[in-house]
Amino acid sequence: MAFKSPQIPIIFFISALTFVAGDLPAIPPTTSIDNSTAFIRSSCGSTLYPELCFSSLIRYADTVRSDPVLLAWLAANVTLGRVRSVSSHISSLRHATTSGDSLEFAALRDCAETLADAAQLAKKSASEIGRLAKAETSPEVGWWVSNAQTWMSAVLTNEDTCTDGFSPVGASPLKADVCRRVGSAKKYTSNALALVNKLVSSR
Ligand SMILES: *[C@@H]1O[C@H](CO)[C@@H](O)[C@H](O)[C@H]1NC(C)=O
Ligand SMILES: *[C@@H]1O[C@H](CO)[C@@H](O)[C@H](O)[C@H]1NC(C)=O
C-alpha cells in the first residue's frame, strides 16, 4: 500500500499530458492566411498607394483568400465607406455655414453636391462588383467590370471637381479641412479603381 499510493497521481499526470498533446490542433490554419497576405501585398503593389491599400485591406485576409474579384469588391466597399463619411461631413459643414454669398460657400455647396453624387457612384460601382463576385461565369461579366470602372473613375472625377472648386478660394481652415479629407478619400478611390482595372487584365 505504501508503494502503490504515489503511483496514482503519476498515472493521472501522464494521461493528462497525453490528453493535452492529443488535443493540439494538427495544422494551424496559417498557410492560407499567409497566402492571402502575399496576394494582397502583391495586388496592392500595382496601386498608387500600396501601403494604404495593404493596411486598409489586410484585416479581410481570411475573406479575400486569393480572389481578385473579392479583393476589388472589398476595396470598393472600403472606398464607399470613406466617400460617404467625407460627404456627410461636408454636407454638415455646408449646413453650418451661413455666409451664403462668399466664394468659399459656393465652393462648399458645389462640393457637397459633387460628393453626394460620388457616394452614389461608389455604391453603384461596389454593387456591380458584387454581381461579379456572385456570378463570375455570366456572359455579362465584361459589361459589369466596365460599369464598375466607369463609375469608380467618375468618383475620382467628382473628388477632383470638389478640390478644384476650392482653387480660387483663399486659404482657410475650412478649405484645408475639406481638401485634406477629400484628398484622403481620393487615395482610397484611386486604389479601388486600380484593383478593378486589374480585373480586366486578369481576364
Ligand atoms: C497557397 O498558394 C499556393 C500557390 O499559389 C497554392 O498552391 C496553395 O494551395 C495555397 N495554399 C492555401 C492553403 O491556400
Ligand atoms: C460589401 O458590402 C456589401 C453591403 O454592405 C456587403 O453585402 C458585401 O458582403 C460586402 N462585400 C465584401 C466582399 O465584403
Side-chain angles (χ1 to χ4, degrees), residues 49-129:
Y49 309 98
E51 283 312 314
L52 178 73
C53 174
F54 183 76
S55 64
S56 64
L57 297 172
I58 189 58
R59 77 194 66 168
Y60 306 109
D62 54 345
T63 309
V64 167
R65 299 187 304 272
S66 299
D67 185 335
V69 175
L70 283 179
L71 187 66
W73 194 14
L74 278 164
N77 273 0
V78 167
T79 300
L80 170 61
R82 306 300 292 200
V83 175
R84 269 187 179 151
S85 113
V86 175
S87 170
S88 79
H89 176 79
I90 290 172
S91 61
S92 47
L93 279 181
R94 177 196 167 169
H95 292 303
T97 306
T98 47
S99 53
D101 51 5
S102 71
L103 207 54
E104 184 179 70
F105 182 77
L108 185 61
R109 183 197 56 214
D110 292 349
C111 176
E113 282 165 18
T114 327
L115 278 192
D117 290 347
Q120 285 303 311
L121 289 159
K123 183 165 186 266
K124 285 174 73 173
S125 183
S127 65
E128 204 74 349
I129 305 166

Side-chain angles (χ1 to χ4, degrees), residues 147-189:
N147 285 340
Q149 278 180 303
T150 304
W151 293 327
M152 197 55 87
S153 85
V155 174
L156 212 47
T157 307
N158 281 24
E159 290 162 342
D160 279 334
T161 304
C162 165
T163 48
D164 288 353
F166 275 89
S167 332
V169 177
S172 74
L174 184 141
K175 175 179 175 174
D177 179 48
V178 169
C179 291
R180 182 181 57 79
R181 288 173 194 263
V182 175
S184 160
K186 255 183 78 171
K187 293 181 181 172
Y188 286 89
T189 311

Side-chain angles (χ1 to χ4, degrees), residues 30-33 35-36 66:
T30 50
T31 43
S32 70
I33 291 292
N35 265 12
S36 183
S66 299

